[in-house]
Amino acid sequence: MKKKVLFVASIDKHISRFHIPSLKWFSDRGFEVHVACNGYAELPYCDKVHQIDFVRSPYSVKHFRVISQLKKLFAKENFYLVHCHTTVASLLTRISGNSFRKSKGLKVLHTSHGFHFFKGGPMLNWLVFYPIEKIASRFQDCLITINTEDYNLARDHFYCKDVRLIPGMGVNRERFKVLNSQGKLRERESWDIDPDAKVMIYVAEFIHRKNHRFIIESAAELKAKFPELIIILPGRGKLLAEMKDLAEKLNVIFFIRFTGFINNVESLMACSNLGVSSSRQEGLGLHIVEAMMSGLPVIATDNSGHRELIRHGVNGFLYQLNDKRTFIDFVSKVFSDPEMYSSMSKEALQQALRFEMKLSNAHLDEIYADYTEA
């Protein structure tokens, strides 16, 4: 009989975006692969998808129902190993599976995609999320982190004995390329972007954490300094309509492009000159890796995930959350100094190569081998 492995995330899109190589690893080695999530996407290398009614809010009473669903699933399927992802779904999975770890030897791996508490982060997050994650670290065999700050904290202060560090979930280098001037012009023509435009891009879901408001409220002042400026904001989310309304209200909508969700974001990266992020918190920031892999310097908020990627003054700049004056000054420096731009562009690419998908997958393969005796 095949051993069964379960992957857990809040929604099916998380699995389809990040974890197909992991599903393939287990499928290739003869495991029966299951996924538990909210959604029914068809997933390659997956034998069965289980609907679990996860909700993202940490305060919902629906979590009691989810714990019941998970316990029934664990009892029915008798999994050999579970690898859980996303904050709330992972916490509920570890709680639900702990008795099965003790009674049936279930092996539990948890990947943190960025702790909500980090150096310089809100005190409330430390008061609420730190003790929860520390206690929950008892309920797992391996904690996988994606930035050095999280790794050091978990290794030194959590109960889990096996803490690993991997270089994020990885970016496919084949998709993102540094184009020469002619290639960039061709890409701009396909998007109807002026050849001389200064293009700034921020790829992110329109949610509170991503803080698009800051970029939009900085736009008028940036346009005054650089009349040829275009800001591209690909993504979807519950705040998209509100951010469009804000851009209309501030009279900056005419040079901000809300593209919605697109599958060929690498084309827009190739059109751009500068990557930016105003995010309140990031575990790593794959969109930043994608920008750097396209040869773009990046200006981003100073948090644990961004510090993993950006060497301040070398391949970009870090600024404090919502510090508009510093953000605008850094954009001006990058756009106004061709020599600095060229140096940062080269350094951005070199830094990005540390986070190639093949390297991330190799780290995960080693962890899976350790826990499957492969």
Side-chain angles (χ1 to χ4, degrees):
M1 181 178 295
K2 289 184 176 182
K3 291 180 179 178
K4 299 178 182 179
V5 61
L6 175 69
F7 282 79
V8 180
S10 57
I11 58 174
D12 50 9
K13 290 182 177 62
H14 183 90
I15 299 290
S16 62
R17 182 179 180 191
F18 297 115
H19 305 301
I20 299 304
S22 293
L23 304 188
K24 184 179 186 301
W25 191 95
F26 282 97
S27 179
D28 287 348
R29 286 158 180 78
F31 285 81
E32 184 175 307
V33 180
H34 294 236
V35 168
C37 59
N38 200 337
Y40 292 98
E42 291 188 11
L43 301 168
Y45 312 109
C46 178
D47 296 288
K48 189 179 294 186
V49 177
H50 304 275
Q51 168 64 31
I52 303 293
D53 301 325
F54 290 118
V55 292
R56 284 187 172 182
S57 170
Y59 310 109
S60 174
V61 295
K62 294 180 180 179
H63 296 327
F64 294 104
R65 179 182 178 184
V66 168
I67 289 174
S68 176
Q69 290 176 323
L70 287 169
K71 286 186 173 181
K72 289 178 181 178
L73 179 61
F74 286 135
K76 177 183 177 183
E77 298 291 351
N78 191 27
F79 294 110
Y80 175 79
L81 178 146
V82 57
H83 190 174
C84 44
H85 300 267
T86 63
T87 303
V88 175
S90 183
L91 175 62
L92 298 178
T93 302
R94 284 176 284 165
I95 292 171
S96 304
N98 194 46
S99 62
F100 296 90
R101 288 180 66 234
K102 296 176 180 179
S103 64
K104 296 188 176 183
L106 172 68
K107 299 177 182 181
V108 177
L109 314 183
H110 159 54
T111 295
S112 169
H113 294 266
F115 293 137
H116 289 284
F117 42 91
F118 54 92
K119 191 182 302 182
M123 181 57 65
L124 181 62
N125 287 20
W126 281 94
L127 294 173
V128 174
F129 292 107
Y130 175 76
I132 291 174
E133 281 293 344
K134 183 169 183 174
I135 293 169
S137 70
R138 292 183 183 274
F139 307 153
Q140 61 202 28
D141 298 284
C142 180
L143 169 58
I144 302 166
T145 59
I146 63 173
N147 68 63
T148 305
E149 184 177 313
D150 286 358
Y151 169 75
N152 289 337
L153 185 150
R155 180 197 59 192
D156 295 341
H157 299 288
F158 282 11
Y159 299 115
C160 183
K161 294 181 180 179
D162 188 10
V163 181
R164 309 284 185 101
L165 174 65
I166 67 172
M169 305 316 298
V171 171
N172 183 358
R173 189 186 179 188
E174 298 303 313
R175 285 186 61 199
F176 298 90
K177 299 181 183 298
V178 180
L179 299 183
N180 59 27
S181 57
Q182 290 302 313
K184 190 176 284 287
L185 285 175
R186 285 194 296 270
E187 290 295 331
R188 288 194 170 194
E189 185 177 358
S190 69
W191 289 96
D192 193 26
I193 295 175
D194 189 272
D196 297 322
K198 294 188 182 302
V199 181
M200 194 166 77
I201 187 168
Y202 180 30
V203 182
E205 184 180 5
F206 283 83
I207 55 176
H208 175 74
R209 180 167 64 88
K210 299 299 185 177
N211 195 26
H212 287 82
R213 176 177 291 272
F214 174 81
I215 300 295
I216 295 169
E217 290 181 343
S218 303
E221 195 167 340
L222 284 169
K223 185 70 169 179
K225 288 177 174 288
F226 301 99
E228 65 275 35
L229 178 70
I230 293 175
I231 300 174
I232 302 179
L233 302 177
R236 58 191 169 196
K238 62 183 180 180
L239 296 182
L240 175 56
E242 181 180 330
M243 292 302 101
K244 285 183 177 179
D245 289 344
L246 177 64
E248 290 272 12
K249 179 181 177 182
L250 297 178
N251 195 32
V252 295
I253 191 72
F254 67 96
F255 65 94
I256 297 180
R257 297 196 182 184
F258 297 90
T259 67
F261 175 80
I262 59 172
N263 289 314
N264 60 334
V265 70
E266 63 274 14
S267 177
L268 281 176
M269 288 291 188
C271 292
S272 302
N273 304 104
L274 177 66
V276 296
S277 174
S278 53
S279 180
R280 301 174 189 277
Q281 181 263 331
E282 287 293 339
L284 195 68
L286 280 182
H287 67 282
I288 287 183
V289 180
E290 293 170 350
M292 295 194 310
M293 207 165 274
S294 306
L296 308 186
V298 177
I299 300 173
T301 41
D302 188 2
N303 58 48
S304 56
H306 291 162
R307 286 192 289 269
E308 191 80 2
L309 301 171
I310 299 170
R311 295 172 60 200
H312 186 73
V314 177
N315 63 336
F317 291 106
L318 295 166
Y319 66 95
Q320 295 302 309
L321 180 67
N322 292 330
D323 183 350
K324 186 187 295 187
R325 175 52 43 213
T326 301
F327 171 71
I328 291 173
D329 285 347
F330 285 153
V331 173
S332 298
K333 282 184 178 181
V334 174
F335 278 157
S336 302
D337 188 334
E339 187 174 333
M340 174 189 285
Y341 184 91
S342 178
S343 174
M344 284 189 165
S345 175
K346 293 174 183 176
E347 291 290 341
L349 177 59
Q350 290 305 307
Q351 177 75 343
L353 296 181
R354 295 174 50 213
F355 302 92
E356 281 192 75
M357 184 177 291
K358 65 180 182 181
L359 299 178
S360 300
N361 289 344
H363 282 269
L364 275 178
D365 291 352
E366 290 180 7
I367 296 171
Y368 291 148
D370 288 345
Y371 281 89
T372 58
E373 301 174 350

